[in-house]
Amino acid sequence: MENLLRTGIREAVRSLYGKDASDDQLQIQKTRKEFEGDLTLVAFPLASLSQRSPEKTAGEIGEYLAAHLDAVSGYNVIKGFLNVTIAPAEWARTLQEISGVTRYGFMVPGPEAETVVIEYSSPNTNKPLHLGHIRNNLLGFSLSRICEAAGNNVIRTNIVNDRGIHICKSMVAWQKFANGATPATTGKKGDHFVGDYYVLFEKQLREEAEKLIAAGATPEEARDNAPLMQEARRMLVKWEAGDPDTVSLWQMMNSWVYEGFDVTYRALGVEFDKIYYESDTYKVGKEIVLRSLGEGHLVRRDDGSVWIDLTADKLDQKLLLRSDGTAVYMTQDLGTAVIRYNDYHFNRHIYVVGNEQNYHFQVLALTLLRMGYDWAGGLHHFSYGMVELPEGKMKSREGKVVDADDLIAEMTETATVMSQELGKLGGYNETEKRNICRQIGLGALKYYILKVDPRKNMTFNPAESIDFNGNTGPFIQYTYARIRSVMKKAGETGVKAANETVGGVIPNLKEVSVIKLLNDFPALVREAATGMSPALIANYCYELAREFNQFYHDFTILGESDEMLRSFRLRLSEMTGKVLESGLWLLGIEAPERM
RNA sequence: GGUUCCGUAGCUCAGUUGGAUAGAGCAACAGCCUUCUAAGCUGUGGGUCGAGCGUUCGAGUCGCUCCGGAAUCACCA
């Protein structure tokens, strides 16, 4: 519709003023609610072409359009704005057109489609997932679906930080204090089980350190010299040396954690195509660094440590290998990137990682480029903001973290209570009830997190997140369920949306509003992919649901006696349902048939 | 201190490449179920878009300065 108008205006300008308007002189936008019309041409930029005032220009173009374009049924000029009214019948034809499109809004990857690797989640194996990971997982997974919908080949990937001092701490504590307990003997979820020993380690360490401080040590010395800490370090050295007992303990405890993570991932509904482990990739990283050193891209200091000098790019010098030859964080990320490129030859690689690591990813991409890996130009850091609580930042040291599993359980529980109170669960068996409440609880949680611009820090207010009214996931799910209910009833009574008649209706204002939104969907998906913003999809779904609910409230669908109109409204509802379902799908939110 | 990001209604957030009188939800108050699902719909009140200067026909949006907050600048990850 917009393109139609665009060419029309271009013709008008040529015919009226004998000049060609450039793309950025043709500013078309949606007409604001308080004015009459559908699309608005901003005439200010054209005034220089027409040599007339913006008002006069707008008026002349409006007159031309009304005379030459069938789709244009009227216009008005306010200041320098030309508000064009599209004939309502034109919108009916639009509905007919888009409802014939298979997988509306989703592009099929063509031969020239890009391969996009998306890394998200990236947990440490010493403790369970928390609220921060939830934002990461939801953003990453949603983004992966959005990129797919925009016509890319997407590889979902995860990097598990399975080695290092943190897991050694849990291992030491388990060895000393567990008496052979396992998740199986205690009935505890594996990641929580291992996390408990990490916490226990820190607690015992604190006690040891306090004794040393009392004996005159500085806090730093105390932590460093405490027997437990030294034991953890010995453990790490043994691990790196490949000591069989240590390695098998490490494998056992990590396997417990993975079992736990799997449960959480399944509950969240996120998936991966390929999982990488840092215990594999750090070695490749070291090789790459050493090779690059040989090629003269890096510098070795007297103490043997290896650095890259990025001062020419206004960054600092960055350590790539310690003086003892061991790898740092950057080393393994270099390795992981190279392995992934060899695996997939991606065009783009998106890292979904918090904004605290902005600097790290700048350095990562630059370093790879310096080393001669040109594909590193396709590395993007999808940097999202922190999640804070109403009382401030989450602090794992003080136990002020929101556990992922707890949160999911609470949301589901709230949904169950709420559904019961509203009497929504009649006619369901237990399995169905549980499933529907799970869908709603998770829908609320996911939407609450995804509706916020990813770049911004956000406040997670527990009381607000379980609200199911207004701008929430359940509101959108509810709208979808309502539509399904209508469709079901239509099927039962044999009413059908006859496509050939849909385009012949003159829709009312509310109906036009809905169609306009439906018409926006494909462009919005592309925009969300380019801008890497699930929030765009979320807010669109809300707007569409709200607009549809108004229509639903004001007009009857199945009760309409005019057959053509009833058919049209049914098709409008069906299409809205499809788009809502697609939008929710892109957010990783399930759309319940009934609620 | 350097770099980056953020600041919009009491609270949580939208606000397209600069466009008209800055929008939702929550909370508060007042209405609407004999009807396709009231997890809905309608209405009322609520703003110095952190402050100032500049660019522009036009600035919440762009530039500069300042104020406030966050992150980062590790032989941590």
Side-chain angles (χ1 to χ4, degrees), chain A residues 326-482:
Chain A
T326 56
V328 290
Y329 180 44
M330 187 60 73
T331 324
Q332 55 207 24
D333 262 6
L334 293 169
T336 310
V338 170
I339 292 172
R340 284 195 184 136
Y341 185 75
N342 291 338
D343 285 351
Y344 297 108
H345 290 86
F346 53 76
N347 303 89
R348 281 186 295 151
H349 185 312
I350 299 173
Y351 292 91
V352 182
V353 179
N355 61 16
E356 66 214 343
Q357 294 190 30
N358 286 353
Y359 182 71
H360 173 80
F361 283 99
Q362 253 181 296
V363 172
L364 178 68
L366 261 175
T367 301
L368 285 165
L369 285 173
R370 275 300 176 77
M371 290 174 160
Y373 298 107
D374 291 340
W375 47 261
L379 261 43
H380 298 275
H381 178 202
F382 178 36
S383 163
Y384 64 89
M386 299 289 100
V387 185
E388 290 166 16
L389 300 174
E391 57 274 20
K393 295 165 82 172
M394 284 199 287
K395 295 199 176 103
S396 44
R397 280 202 191 152
E398 295 165 32
K400 281 203 295 192
V401 282
V402 178
D403 177 74
D405 295 315
D406 289 351
L407 184 58
I408 293 166
E410 277 165 32
M411 297 300 287
T412 308
E413 174 59 22
T414 306
T416 311
V417 171
M418 201 79 101
S419 302
Q420 212 93 47
E421 273 175 13
L422 292 169
K424 297 279 187 183
L425 297 174
Y428 279 122
N429 66 36
E430 278 309 311
T431 318
E432 287 168 336
K433 276 185 196 171
R434 261 202 302 278
N435 190 42
I436 214 98
C437 295
R438 183 190 60 79
Q439 290 182 334
I440 297 166
L442 262 109
L445 175 61
K446 291 180 178 184
Y447 186 85
Y448 183 84
I449 287 173
L450 289 175
K451 73 173 173 182
V452 181
D453 183 338
R455 289 170 309 169
K456 293 187 180 174
N457 287 3
M458 66 172 290
T459 307
F460 185 87
N461 186 328
E464 231 174 63
S465 67
I466 54 171
D467 195 343
F468 294 173
N469 302 311
N471 189 358
T472 66
F475 170 87
I476 298 162
Q477 290 174 314
Y478 176 72
T479 308
Y480 174 79
R482 261 182 161 179

Side-chain angles (χ1 to χ4, degrees), chain A residues 570-581:
Chain A
L570 200 56
R571 180 48 54 86
L572 180 66
S573 306
E574 186 185 32
M575 199 57 206
T576 304
K578 275 189 192 166
V579 170
L580 285 178
E581 187 185 21

Side-chain angles (χ1 to χ4, degrees), chain A residues 140-313:
Chain A
F141 186 62
S142 174
L143 184 66
S144 75
R145 284 197 166 163
I146 291 168
C147 286
E148 262 173 356
N152 301 293
N153 296 310
V154 172
I155 315 289
R156 285 169 254 269
T157 180
N158 190 355
I159 177 88
V160 180
N161 182 14
D162 59 346
R163 60 163 216 117
I165 193 75
H166 58 274
I167 181 68
C168 289
K169 289 179 180 177
S170 296
M171 285 156 66
V172 166
W174 184 82
Q175 252 182 352
K176 289 183 91 76
F177 308 115
N179 294 317
T182 68
T185 64
T186 56
K188 191 133 193 162
K189 194 162 166 284
D191 50 342
H192 290 262
F193 181 87
V194 172
D196 286 348
Y197 286 97
Y198 183 78
V199 172
L200 185 60
F201 178 95
E202 289 291 342
K203 184 167 164 269
Q204 299 284 336
L205 176 64
R206 221 173 301 130
E207 283 173 19
E208 287 185 358
E210 270 163 26
K211 280 182 200 154
L212 292 175
I213 291 168
T218 69
E220 269 187 25
E221 286 168 357
R223 259 186 84 84
D224 263 11
N225 297 334
L228 265 180
M229 187 57 109
Q230 297 196 330
E231 208 169 328
R233 284 219 193 83
R234 276 199 300 276
M235 182 81 87
L236 183 61
V237 172
K238 273 157 84 180
W239 182 88
E240 295 217 358
D243 172 61
D245 287 348
T246 307
V247 167
S248 74
L249 174 62
W250 171 76
Q251 278 169 341
M252 180 175 71
M253 290 188 74
N254 270 343
S255 74
W256 293 339
V257 172
Y258 298 148
E259 277 172 32
F261 282 171
D262 280 348
V263 171
T264 309
Y265 285 145
R266 243 193 317 267
L268 275 179
V270 303
E271 294 159 3
F272 303 97
D273 300 306
K274 170 86 177 174
I275 297 179
Y276 292 86
Y277 298 90
E278 287 186 353
S279 54
D280 297 327
T281 64
Y282 82 102
K283 290 179 191 156
V284 177
K286 280 160 83 166
E287 288 165 19
I288 291 162
V289 170
L290 291 174
R291 190 188 331 137
S292 185
L293 179 68
E295 289 164 0
H297 303 304
L298 311 175
V299 289
R300 171 163 256 159
R301 290 192 182 170
D302 293 342
D303 60 7
S305 58
V306 179
W307 298 70
I308 184 157
D309 184 359
L310 297 172
T311 46
D313 293 287

Side-chain angles (χ1 to χ4, degrees), chain A residues 1-2 4-5 30-31 37-39 71-73 84-99 502-520 568 572:
Chain A
M1 196 64 76
E2 198 184 311
L4 188 89
L5 197 64
K30 291 185 206 170
T31 303
D38 297 303
L39 292 166
V72 174
S73 64
V84 177
T85 302
I86 304 297
E90 200 61 36
W91 292 114
R93 280 193 282 280
T94 301
L95 175 65
Q96 185 176 26
E97 203 182 295
I98 65 179
S99 65
V502 167
V505 167
I506 312 283
N508 62 43
L509 278 176
K510 277 276 171 276
E511 291 160 345
V512 167
S513 304
V514 176
I515 296 172
K516 279 195 229 171
L517 280 172
L518 293 174
N519 190 41
D520 290 341
F568 164 82
L572 180 66

